[in-house]
Amino acid sequence: MHPIDLAIVVAYVALITSVGIRFSQRIKTAKDFFLAGRSLTWWVIGLSIIGTNVDTNGYIGASGNAYSIGIAQANFEWIGAIPAMIIAALIFIPLYWRAGVYSIPEYLGLRYNAAVRVVSAAIVVVVSVFAMGIAMWALAVTLQTFIGWPIWLGILVSGTVVGLYSIAGGLAAVAITDSIQVCIMFVCGLIIVGIGISDAGGADSFASKLLAENPTHLSAYLPADHEGYPWHGVILGLGLVLSPAYWVGSQAILQRTLGAKTQWDASAGMMFAALAKTFVPLLIIFPGLLALVMVADIEYPDMALPWVIKNVLPVGVSGLMFVAIIAALQSSIDSSINSTALIITRDIRHVLMKNHNPEADLVIGRMLTLGLLLCAMGIAPFIGDLGGIFNFLQFLLSLFQGPLLALLLLGALTQRATASAGIITLASGVVLAGLLSWVLDMNLLFVAFFSFCYAVVALWTISGFTQPHSQEHLRNLSYSPWRDR
Amino acid sequence: MELPVFWANYISVALFVLLGCGVWSIPKSAVVPKEYAHARWRDLRWWATGLIVLQILLYAFFS
């Protein structure tokens, strides 16, 4: 690595760490730690949401996918995000604010029962720990690739940096550092677009070179018989189920909206994130297309972005881009650690330990943050061997998405859904999703869609035969902007 | 029989138009607090409309 690039990396690490430690002085209670003392403004929330959302898969994997399938990869940022983000901003964020909850499992617990709360919390925790391990490993591999550090050193250094500001500063530090990280990502993305189009001889020339060998690479959708991303599967599975399940139900994403200083800031933050999300393909799709146009000599698609950094970017900018990748990984790890610590502290400990002491939440939250970080650092070196397990966990999570979305939607928008129907629907919906996947070997996009349709019908029907909560109990737990003002 | 792939763009545009109708059916009082009622830029329905128009343009362009 060139000394100028190395200086940029060192400056970045110093900046992020000092920001995090500065915020540590403001932490007095668990609310300060987990919800930033409800002090975040809309633009910080928006940038932090994008920082949390763009991770390893989003950066390196999406560039590789764009190299293979073209602009269709952008559906994950457009129809696979924007409608759900608008719905989250206008309906679900106001609902969570009215309910006064710290987490999505807490909302599910209040709306249904403690069993739904603990099950949903446990799923999030297990998947998050392994996802953090993956991200930590990817970070170490990136450091090894660019500056030659052994894996263990990369894990130790990156874990220490993330730990310093996450444990000390809580959500406020995480959100502010996320915002800085996203700004760096966008600056780098725009530089790559500028250099790439200039080298290709202009936008028209870029498009004609790309389409000459890859005629479908500027088409938003792929044919219905495409194995991975058939267009009807993308609209039904991604657009109507997986995306809403993520944007209205992900604790890591929504926690910063619960830490907003007003409900308007929370909703506006999600809207601002949607605007930024629209332009995320410039960061993560364009490098893949650029590698194609420049006829990159790479062994497999995921090498597209590293190739662009190494062969296209000048000294200084490549250091900044390297920082952007580290930033993308760090912002996902820090958010996961903070939200997972919150879920264990409140949604598992508070429910299972009847005599818990809420005053101890801050200390326990910080200890859990450290413990989760150490877990992720401990798992990270073995991720290569655990690949099968991680795929299984991802698969497990996908089984819950459809039924959980049905519980959230009907629970939020109607007063009909009952506690008994909720737990029966969750259990049977997961079994159905498993059968569709294992027995019929169905594409996961369609598994999500059909398990969601089943769960909506089952929840609605079973609720007709089971005991509902009182209207008084549901007053702040269901919400319709058309009905409640 | 399967619909041609360009129908996906039409369906996407239709879904975004439908979403826009849903957004504007929400009363202003539900999205703008009373203290901000005089500031039009605080009306999140306009933010949503801008996003929806942007999406429709993208799906029209990449068809």
Side-chain angles (χ1 to χ4, degrees):
Chain A
M1 184 175 253
H2 193 279
I4 294 176
D5 290 334
L6 198 58
I8 288 173
V9 175
V10 171
Y12 161 77
V13 171
L15 173 70
I16 292 296
T17 310
S18 63
V19 166
I21 290 172
R22 186 164 175 268
F23 273 88
S24 66
Q25 296 157 2
R26 301 183 185 181
I27 305 294
K28 301 282 186 291
T29 66
K31 190 176 175 182
D32 295 336
F33 187 73
F34 289 126
L35 296 185
R38 293 229 151 109
S39 64
L40 301 176
T41 51
W42 60 272
W43 60 273
V44 171
I45 294 166
L47 292 174
S48 180
I49 286 172
I50 293 302
T52 303
N53 173 244
V54 178
D55 57 10
T56 335
N57 288 333
Y59 229 118
I60 296 172
S63 296
N65 258 1
Y67 182 89
S68 302
I69 66 171
I71 201 79
Q73 176 67 24
N75 283 315
F76 285 88
E77 321 302 324
W78 296 341
I79 198 161
I82 306 301
M85 293 172 85
I86 292 173
I87 291 168
L90 297 180
I91 296 175
F92 281 87
I93 289 172
L95 167 71
Y96 297 144
W97 265 75
R98 284 163 64 112
V101 295
Y102 276 55
S103 71
I104 312 307
E106 184 178 355
Y107 169 76
L108 287 169
L110 290 171
R111 181 60 185 81
Y112 293 97
N113 58 26
V116 174
R117 180 179 184 178
V118 172
V119 167
S120 58
I123 295 164
V124 173
V125 169
V126 172
V127 173
S128 293
V129 168
F130 279 89
M132 284 184 274
I134 290 269
M136 195 72 78
W137 174 77
L139 194 49
V141 169
T142 308
L143 290 166
Q144 186 184 44
T145 306
F146 285 94
I147 52 181
W149 283 3
I151 292 288
W152 69 267
L153 183 62
I155 290 170
L156 189 66
V157 171
S158 53
T160 305
V161 172
V162 171
L164 272 175
Y165 67 81
S166 301
I167 295 168
L171 180 65
V174 167
I176 296 290
T177 50
D178 282 358
S179 304
I180 296 169
Q181 288 158 346
V182 169
C183 291
I184 294 170
M185 287 185 224
F186 269 101
V187 167
C188 291
L190 291 175
I191 291 172
I192 289 186
V193 171
I195 291 174
I197 288 183
S198 169
D199 284 359
D204 289 342
S205 173
F206 182 92
S208 57
K209 283 179 183 172
L210 178 67
L211 293 175
E213 295 291 326
N214 311 279
T216 63
H217 266 47
L218 286 183
S219 301
Y221 286 104
L222 298 169
D225 59 356
H226 188 273
E227 192 181 342
Y229 306 103
W231 68 262
H232 52 321
V234 169
I235 292 176
L236 294 175
L238 177 66
L240 299 185
V241 181
L242 292 176
S243 162
Y246 177 78
W247 290 103
V248 307
S250 166
Q251 179 63 28
I253 291 292
L254 290 162
Q255 193 167 326
R256 49 271 299 119
T257 68
L258 299 173
K261 64 179 181 182
T262 67
Q263 182 188 309
W264 184 88
D265 280 275
S267 294
M270 183 60 88
M271 287 284 191
F272 183 53
L275 177 65
K277 185 79 173 158
T278 304
F279 295 100
V280 161
L282 287 176
L283 320 181
I284 64 174
I285 307 289
F286 187 83
L289 303 182
L290 182 60
L292 266 180
V293 167
M294 301 190 79
V295 200
D297 179 23
I298 55 177
E299 291 175 24
Y300 50 93
D302 281 357
M303 290 300 293
L305 182 63
W307 185 89
V308 167
I309 294 173
K310 195 172 178 182
N311 296 281
V312 178
L313 299 181
V315 168
V317 179
S318 60
L320 202 61
M321 189 66 209
F322 172 64
V323 162
I325 294 176
I326 297 177
L329 295 168
Q330 281 186 335
S331 56
S332 300
I333 295 169
D334 60 29
S335 303
S336 283
I337 287 176
N338 191 263
S339 61
T340 310
L342 166 65
I343 285 177
I344 297 175
T345 304
R346 289 183 60 89
D347 297 308
I348 295 179
R349 176 175 162 266
H350 282 200
V351 175
L352 299 183
M353 292 178 65
K354 299 295 178 197
N355 299 319
H356 67 271
N357 173 16
E359 299 296 316
D361 282 0
L362 175 59
V363 176
I364 289 172
R366 278 188 158 140
M367 284 167 56
L368 279 169
T369 305
L370 177 62
L372 287 165
L373 186 65
L374 293 174
C375 267
M377 290 167 72
I379 291 170
F382 307 105
I383 284 299
D385 303 328
L386 295 176
I389 291 177
F390 183 73
N391 287 339
F392 176 73
L393 286 166
Q394 288 287 70
F395 165 73
L396 191 68
L397 185 64
S398 72
L399 300 184
F400 284 85
Q401 301 278 45
L404 271 178
L405 178 63
L407 261 66
L408 271 173
L409 279 181
L410 289 189
L413 301 177
T414 76
Q415 297 196 342
R416 181 182 172 92
T418 67
S420 308
I423 196 74
I424 293 169
T425 301
L426 184 59
S428 58
V430 171
V431 170
L432 176 74
L435 288 174
L436 290 175
S437 187
W438 275 315
V439 178
L440 299 182
D441 198 22
M442 195 179 272
N443 181 311
L444 282 181
L445 294 171
F446 292 113
V447 170
F449 178 70
F450 287 119
S451 62
F452 168 71
C453 292
Y454 160 78
V456 168
V457 173
L459 186 54
W460 186 267
T461 307
I462 299 168
S463 294
F465 302 101
T466 45
Q467 185 67 35
H469 285 300
S470 67
Q471 287 209 333
E472 178 62 26
H473 177 80
L474 295 175
R475 180 175 293 163
N476 289 326
L477 299 176
S478 69
Y479 170 68
S480 164
W482 300 275
R483 186 187 66 218
D484 312 319
R485 301 182 201 172
Chain B
M1 193 181 77
E2 287 173 342
L3 287 173
V5 71
F6 60 80
W7 270 89
N9 293 70
Y10 295 155
I11 293 170
S12 302
V13 169
L15 286 173
F16 278 111
V17 170
L18 200 64
L19 179 63
C21 296
V23 165
W24 280 99
S25 71
I26 297 175
K28 185 178 178 181
S29 57
V31 289
V32 188
K34 280 179 190 160
E35 60 269 32
Y36 299 147
H38 58 284
R40 182 173 288 183
W41 75 273
R42 297 264 189 185
D43 187 342
L44 296 176
R45 296 174 305 176
W46 285 110
W47 295 38
T49 304
L51 286 166
I52 288 167
V53 169
L54 205 53
Q55 293 298 310
I56 289 173
L57 291 175
L58 286 168
Y59 278 98
F61 185 75
F62 291 109
S63 57

